[in-house]
Amino acid sequence: FNTPPITDCTTLRRRNNNNNRNNNNNIPPSPPSSPPPPPNAQYFPPGTWERYLRATNHNPIEAHRRLTSTQTWRQTHNMNAALTQPHPTFDVIKRYYPHSFHSTGYHGEPVYYEKPAQINLSALKKEGVSMDQLLHHYAIVTEFLWTHLSPYQNGPSSKGITVLDLEGMRLRDFAGEVVTFVKAAASFTGEHYPERSGRIYVLNAPSFFGVVWRLVKPLVDPVTLAKVCVVDSSSSGDGGGAIRAALMERIPFESIPREYGGGSMIPLGYAPEEGMLRDLMSYNNNQQFGGS
């Protein structure tokens, strides 16, 4: 079983373009009328209820269940105060866990890069960082994304672009703690931040990824599956052309980091979005612990 080639991604783009042209010749169907929001919707930003409805195919019972679940989760983890509280492990986590925001897509979509194979869990443990703390960090980063970088509930910029670079990933890693962390993070973001994923790029997929992907695909809902574009590791031998072509479907050339064949003059990890996050965490920590 081979890893899905880059042509799968471009074929999907052509199919979508054709569908768009065909749809222009017809009167679009009227969107379903939204049922009134439940009382607890008042605790969320305007438009959140409609986003949960879209995530549940306009099923008000399921949308209310998920909204209530999110409300409980946010209260349990004090998420409403997450961006005002100190985060003492922020710097050490950023040192051993390569993940960062970098510019935006063509329509203002925030772009997030992550390198799961380079997460150094052993070093994090030595620094006293537990798995729960790592997951809480991920929740804080996600909250920052949808509060500061893109506080929209609808439209293209309300959905992000995720780039997962699997370079260096080994088969045994798919049964280790790194994958456990990735799955746990994906679980709570999918449940409590629905309708936020616009496109997911999986870069430098190892040769064995096709086997893993075949096992995972039946567990992924069709809507999410349609957003995934896989570029295998053999594509890196063409000077990054395949990776660059894939990313340029959604991201301007000048906004793509150079290590992925783009023209961005800013190294990955040093974009203004990252500066905003670091400044906020530094401010919160200084407020709690003192310092300049």
Side-chain angles (χ1 to χ4, degrees), residues 30-35 53 58:
S30 300
S33 57
S34 297
L53 283 172
H58 286 80

PDB file of all heavy atoms in Angstrom, residues 30-35 53 58:
ATOM      1  N   SER A  30     -30.869  27.180  -0.297  1.00  0.00           N
ATOM      2  CA  SER A  30     -30.943  28.058   0.868  1.00  0.00           C
ATOM      3  C   SER A  30     -30.396  27.324   2.088  1.00  0.00           C
ATOM      4  O   SER A  30     -30.675  26.139   2.288  1.00  0.00           O
ATOM      5  CB  SER A  30     -32.393  28.470   1.142  1.00  0.00           C
ATOM      6  OG  SER A  30     -32.913  29.166   0.025  1.00  0.00           O
ATOM      7  N   PRO A  31     -29.559  28.001   2.883  1.00  0.00           N
ATOM      8  CA  PRO A  31     -29.035  27.335   4.084  1.00  0.00           C
ATOM      9  C   PRO A  31     -30.153  27.056   5.068  1.00  0.00           C
ATOM     10  O   PRO A  31     -31.137  27.789   5.130  1.00  0.00           O
ATOM     11  CB  PRO A  31     -28.051  28.379   4.652  1.00  0.00           C
ATOM     12  CG  PRO A  31     -28.553  29.690   4.125  1.00  0.00           C
ATOM     13  CD  PRO A  31     -29.126  29.392   2.778  1.00  0.00           C
ATOM     14  N   PRO A  32     -30.031  25.967   5.809  1.00  0.00           N
ATOM     15  CA  PRO A  32     -31.092  25.660   6.778  1.00  0.00           C
ATOM     16  C   PRO A  32     -31.181  26.760   7.825  1.00  0.00           C
ATOM     17  O   PRO A  32     -30.172  27.340   8.223  1.00  0.00           O
ATOM     18  CB  PRO A  32     -30.622  24.332   7.392  1.00  0.00           C
ATOM     19  CG  PRO A  32     -29.149  24.299   7.147  1.00  0.00           C
ATOM     20  CD  PRO A  32     -28.933  25.014   5.855  1.00  0.00           C
ATOM     21  N   SER A  33     -32.381  27.040   8.243  1.00  0.00           N
ATOM     22  CA  SER A  33     -32.560  28.060   9.266  1.00  0.00           C
ATOM     23  C   SER A  33     -32.014  27.539  10.592  1.00  0.00           C
ATOM     24  O   SER A  33     -32.187  26.371  10.944  1.00  0.00           O
ATOM     25  CB  SER A  33     -34.042  28.407   9.416  1.00  0.00           C
ATOM     26  OG  SER A  33     -34.791  27.248   9.722  1.00  0.00           O
ATOM     27  N   SER A  34     -31.337  28.414  11.318  1.00  0.00           N
ATOM     28  CA  SER A  34     -30.716  28.002  12.570  1.00  0.00           C
ATOM     29  C   SER A  34     -31.729  28.024  13.700  1.00  0.00           C
ATOM     30  O   SER A  34     -32.445  29.019  13.877  1.00  0.00           O
ATOM     31  CB  SER A  34     -29.549  28.931  12.912  1.00  0.00           C
ATOM     32  OG  SER A  34     -28.538  28.848  11.935  1.00  0.00           O
ATOM     33  N   PRO A  35     -31.797  26.949  14.473  1.00  0.00           N
ATOM     34  CA  PRO A  35     -32.668  26.962  15.654  1.00  0.00           C
ATOM     35  C   PRO A  35     -32.115  27.955  16.668  1.00  0.00           C
ATOM     36  O   PRO A  35     -30.933  28.287  16.648  1.00  0.00           O
ATOM     37  CB  PRO A  35     -32.585  25.523  16.168  1.00  0.00           C
ATOM     38  CG  PRO A  35     -31.292  25.007  15.647  1.00  0.00           C
ATOM     39  CD  PRO A  35     -31.086  25.672  14.319  1.00  0.00           C
ATOM     40  N   LEU A  53     -23.468  24.122  15.232  1.00  0.00           N
ATOM     41  CA  LEU A  53     -24.506  23.567  14.355  1.00  0.00           C
ATOM     42  C   LEU A  53     -23.897  23.046  13.059  1.00  0.00           C
ATOM     43  O   LEU A  53     -24.249  21.960  12.584  1.00  0.00           O
ATOM     44  CB  LEU A  53     -25.565  24.634  14.056  1.00  0.00           C
ATOM     45  CG  LEU A  53     -26.593  24.928  15.146  1.00  0.00           C
ATOM     46  CD1 LEU A  53     -27.432  26.143  14.761  1.00  0.00           C
ATOM     47  CD2 LEU A  53     -27.484  23.719  15.396  1.00  0.00           C
ATOM     48  N   HIS A  58     -26.211  20.600  11.505  1.00  0.00           N
ATOM     49  CA  HIS A  58     -27.424  21.307  11.936  1.00  0.00           C
ATOM     50  C   HIS A  58     -28.368  20.429  12.760  1.00  0.00           C
ATOM     51  O   HIS A  58     -29.586  20.510  12.630  1.00  0.00           O
ATOM     52  CB  HIS A  58     -28.153  21.920  10.732  1.00  0.00           C
ATOM     53  CG  HIS A  58     -27.461  23.137  10.198  1.00  0.00           C
ATOM     54  ND1 HIS A  58     -26.368  23.050   9.364  1.00  0.00           N
ATOM     55  CD2 HIS A  58     -27.692  24.457  10.412  1.00  0.00           C
ATOM     56  CE1 HIS A  58     -25.960  24.283   9.062  1.00  0.00           C
ATOM     57  NE2 HIS A  58     -26.735  25.150   9.690  1.00  0.00           N
TER      58      HIS A  58
END
